Amino acid sequence: MPEVMFAGPDGRLEGRYHHAKQPNAPTALILHPHPLHGGTMNNRVVHALYERFRGMGFSTLRFNFRGVGKSQGRYDGGIGEISDATAALDFLQAVNPAASMLWVAGYSFGAYVGMQVLMRRPEMGGFVSIAAPASHYDFGFLAPCPCSGLILHGEADELVPEPSVRKLVDKLNTQKGIKIDYRTMPGAGHIFTPEQTEKVADAAQDHVMTVLNRARMSMAAD
């Protein structure tokens, strides 16, 4: 799991990168929770998602937002962190110029940043949003949402009430051509236990493989 340092808008950013063997492998960027609340790229959920995407044959990058770990700069209220994520995508695309698909996955604050990135990169093929903070941030920018994806939420989330996320999902599902795979986890709060984390990773893998297999079948039909 090689350590990488790449140029960000406010200094160098620290990451962990796995390069897939397939020359046109899909790519995935994994985004961590809030930097001011202990979020790092080594977060349990982030690490689990990283490993699952890697196992599915993706070139996969997780990294620390500015001011976290060895990443330079300081927390910027979300604006700078969105710029960090787009810089991370630039790095991913530079080393994977023939990538077949581009995905972003995020947990909590990382889910918010990931969905902001969707709007800046129309070439995105899919997304995974875990515990999206729909009651803390306005997700109205997803109009229209550029691609379909997975949203997963704990039914007992004490920080982000599940109905606020369901409302977001219902709104997105009214958009033409958008299908949100919405899954809830009984008994799960905002922080997932190790056992729940495995279920989160299972759900992400199930969703991503379904999309990839559908894409392969349509290519074969052509």
Side-chain angles (χ1 to χ4, degrees):
M1 208 184 305
E3 179 179 345
V4 291
M5 300 293 288
F6 57 92
D10 199 30
R12 292 189 311 158
L13 296 170
E14 173 195 19
R16 296 288 182 278
Y17 174 67
H18 166 77
H19 192 73
K21 291 185 173 72
Q22 287 289 107
N24 63 337
T27 57
L29 174 67
I30 321 293
L31 303 171
H32 71 71
H34 206 293
L36 299 187
H37 301 291
T40 79
M41 67 175 172
N42 295 320
N43 170 274
R44 184 161 55 217
V45 173
V46 171
H47 189 269
L49 291 172
Y50 176 91
E51 290 297 333
R52 288 303 180 94
F53 273 99
R54 192 172 82 141
M56 288 186 282
F58 281 67
S59 285
T60 311
L61 173 68
R62 70 185 205 268
F63 77 100
N64 280 328
F65 288 121
R66 58 183 66 198
V68 177
K70 295 179 187 172
S71 290
Q72 296 176 326
R74 58 186 356 185
Y75 175 68
D76 190 39
I79 304 298
E81 287 71 22
I82 294 166
S83 297
D84 292 345
T86 55
L89 279 179
D90 289 341
F91 168 80
L92 255 182
Q93 290 182 298
V95 292
N96 296 277
S100 57
M101 203 181 264
L102 180 61
W103 282 70
V104 64
Y107 171 34
S108 191
F109 174 78
Y112 166 72
V113 173
M115 293 178 94
Q116 283 276 2
V117 170
L118 283 180
M119 301 304 295
R120 290 157 173 79
R121 293 297 174 92
E123 69 272 28
M124 281 287 184
F127 67 88
V128 172
S129 289
I130 310 299
S135 58
H136 294 248
Y137 295 94
D138 180 4
F139 281 77
F141 58 84
L142 292 166
C145 185
C147 67
S148 300
L150 168 71
I151 294 180
L152 185 148
H153 209 76
E155 289 182 4
D157 192 318
E158 67 289 355
L159 292 179
V160 183
E162 186 275 331
S164 68
V165 181
R166 186 176 295 275
K167 185 177 175 185
L168 169 63
V169 170
D170 289 344
K171 193 172 176 184
L172 293 176
N173 274 331
T174 63
Q175 296 184 17
K176 189 177 179 182
I178 296 300
K179 175 78 175 74
I180 302 301
D181 178 3
Y182 183 48
R183 308 189 190 193
T184 58
M185 191 178 293
H190 198 72
I191 308 297
F192 296 93
T193 66
E195 294 77 18
Q196 289 167 343
T197 297
E198 280 304 299
K199 290 180 180 175
V200 167
D202 288 344
Q205 182 170 339
D206 177 64
H207 173 82
V208 174
M209 290 306 297
T210 299
V211 174
L212 291 181
N213 289 334
R214 199 181 298 136
R216 289 184 190 120
M217 284 169 66
S218 65
M219 282 174 69
D222 291 343

